[in-house]
Amino acid sequence: MKFTGSHILSITQFKREQIDQLFAVADRMEPYAHRRKVTRVLDGAILGSMFFEPSTRTRVSFGCAFNLLGGEVRETTGFESSAIAKGESLYDTARVLSGYSDVIVMRHPTSGSVAEFASASRVPVINGGDGSNEHPSQALLDLYTIRKELKHKGRAGIDGLRIAMIGDLKYGRTVHSLCKLLSLFQNVHLTLISPDELRMPADIVESLRAGGNTVVESDAMESSISHVDIAYSTRIQEERFSSKEEASLYRGRYRLNQAIYTRFCEPNTVIMHPLPRDSRVEANELDNDLNENPNLAIFRQADNGVLVRMALFALILDVADEVDRHARDVNWYTERRF
Ligand code: CP
């Protein structure tokens, strides 16, 4: 895949060269994401942001990423504020909105819908999450975070990574995309921890194994997180179940807190979660008592989303080498704690 003009629909489009290219550009976006500089490289460009499911991080960070590059954002949130509610097809919506935008990011509750939309779009479309299928930009920012966190601990590279994924692996699109991305690497050891009914889809497990990686499936968390570099927790995807009652059978099954972390994890294990974490008492998969744990990377992970999404826009719109030429220092107070 070449980035320029491409849709980003699935993580399977990527090879390692593109990941390296993307991450190198993301590294260069740090002065902008951290508000030391502004660039107007996308001055006049318009992002169409269409989110037909709730979102905080993906919607806002894509929007901020585009703004930080100097572009403007036009948003549609929810079916009720779109003519789709009047029966308009994805085809017609794509034909119309791609006439108004230079690039579109879309989230939709149905698997495959973003690809269907993209096939009618006249501009590149980025999948912001389609049902339980995929969330490619989340996987990219997750891998970027893993790489950065490990580097901080003195370790280079993803090959040989030991990662546990915990929770709803059946409906969790972030872990689907992350597994597909990790299958590009070697000697990765994955421990997939879920209730039997919520196991990772078999085709994803098979393709990991076919690539020479090790996959162990378990329904027990404590005994499975002792020797991992990354403990990646996920939420029970309540919105994908046939009823709230069915989802509640699994909510709260796996709860990682400081006491469990101290007892079972290696002292350097990095804790990740795509967020939102479900902090309601009946779920609480990642307890607030981990908030001061320096290995809790969840907010650094969310911050990295801006860098990676800026890099995606810069590469898709072919301005990655122009960003600094349109830059200046900011003139407002920007001190922030990281
Ligand atoms: N991680 C993620 O997709 O978060 P949002 O649902 O808030 O976008």
Side-chain angles (χ1 to χ4, degrees):
M1 178 192 71
K2 65 169 180 47
F3 279 101
T4 307
S6 285
H7 301 307
I8 305 294
L9 301 174
S10 167
I11 212 69
T12 57
Q13 293 171 243
F14 289 82
K15 294 195 164 56
R16 279 177 75 154
E17 304 92 87
Q18 280 112 28
I19 306 293
D20 291 343
Q21 186 186 3
L22 181 77
F23 289 179
V25 176
D27 286 343
R28 284 173 22 219
M29 296 300 138
E30 214 167 275
Y32 305 99
H34 292 175
R35 309 298 200 281
R36 294 195 297 277
K37 286 184 169 191
V38 283
T39 175
R40 304 300 302 165
V41 70
L42 288 185
D43 192 15
I46 294 177
L47 167 68
S49 171
M50 304 171 61
F51 276 73
F52 298 115
E53 275 194 328
S55 170
T56 296
R57 276 143 294 274
T58 312
R59 180 173 59 85
V60 179
S61 68
F62 265 121
C64 286
F66 209 74
N67 288 151
L68 287 164
L69 290 166
E72 299 200 21
V73 183
R74 291 286 172 273
E75 272 195 353
T76 303
T77 53
F79 287 113
E80 66 284 354
S81 62
S82 156
I84 289 178
K86 301 178 195 172
E88 188 165 46
S89 66
L90 280 178
Y91 178 90
D92 287 4
T93 309
R95 294 296 293 177
V96 172
L97 288 178
S98 58
Y100 302 160
S101 318
D102 296 282
V103 57
I104 292 172
V105 58
M106 180 175 174
R107 172 173 287 187
H108 193 283
T110 308
S111 296
S113 55
V114 182
E116 181 186 340
F117 179 92
S119 68
S121 171
R122 293 174 277 170
V123 299
V125 175
I126 303 175
N127 183 358
D130 61 323
S132 59
N133 182 36
E134 278 222 40
H135 193 344
S137 67
Q138 178 72 44
L140 294 167
L141 78 88
D142 286 345
L143 189 69
Y144 184 77
T145 302
I146 292 170
R147 196 191 66 146
K148 222 170 177 174
E149 295 288 324
L150 295 186
K151 194 171 172 191
H152 192 62
K153 294 177 190 306
R155 185 175 144 187
I158 302 296
D159 294 323
L161 178 76
R162 304 168 301 163
I163 181 168
M165 298 183 186
I166 307 157
D168 181 353
L169 307 185
K170 176 178 180 183
Y171 296 120
R173 58 191 171 201
T174 71
V175 283
H176 297 170
S177 290
L178 184 55
C179 280
K180 291 176 188 176
L181 189 51
L182 289 173
S183 71
L184 295 177
F185 295 84
Q186 284 168 351
N187 301 322
V188 177
H189 191 289
L190 294 102
T191 307
L192 303 179
I193 304 161
S194 71
D196 197 43
E197 300 84 348
L198 302 182
R199 284 166 66 172
M200 182 67 70
D203 61 319
I204 296 178
V205 174
E206 278 319 304
S207 93
L208 277 163
R209 286 189 174 133
N213 297 302
T214 310
V215 182
V216 175
E217 295 184 272
S218 169
D219 64 0
M221 184 181 78
E222 282 85 347
S223 56
S224 305
I225 55 174
S226 293
H227 303 291
V228 296
D229 304 303
I230 308 288
Y232 188 108
S233 171
T234 64
R235 179 179 65 89
I236 298 298
Q237 306 286 298
E238 180 180 295
E239 61 276 30
R240 311 275 174 238
F241 287 79
S242 53
S243 67
K244 282 186 185 251
E245 290 69 35
E246 192 194 354
S248 71
L249 296 173
Y250 306 106
R251 214 182 284 115
R253 180 81 65 93
Y254 304 113
R255 297 167 187 262
L256 186 55
N257 59 29
Q258 186 57 50
I260 291 172
Y261 180 88
T262 305
R263 180 157 176 220
F264 293 101
C265 291
E266 292 173 357
N268 264 340
T269 297
V270 175
I271 306 161
M272 293 177 61
H273 192 302
L275 303 180
R277 56 176 157 173
D278 186 344
S279 294
R280 290 171 291 190
V281 68
E282 65 273 23
N284 205 26
E285 64 255 7
L286 215 49
D287 198 282
N288 280 332
D289 72 0
L290 289 160
N291 287 357
E292 301 307 316
N293 184 326
N295 291 311
L296 184 77
I298 57 176
F299 301 118
R300 295 190 288 275
Q301 190 181 352
D303 284 350
N304 288 335
V306 175
L307 297 169
V308 169
R309 288 169 176 140
M310 286 180 81
L312 278 173
F313 287 134
L315 286 164
I316 291 168
L317 296 176
D318 200 17
V319 293
D321 294 330
E322 298 294 311
V323 172
D324 296 333
R325 206 161 61 79
H326 295 265
R328 64 167 172 77
D329 292 341
V330 299
N331 46 24
W332 61 86
Y333 176 77
T334 60
E335 203 57 47
R336 59 187 61 215
R337 286 171 287 143
F338 287 99

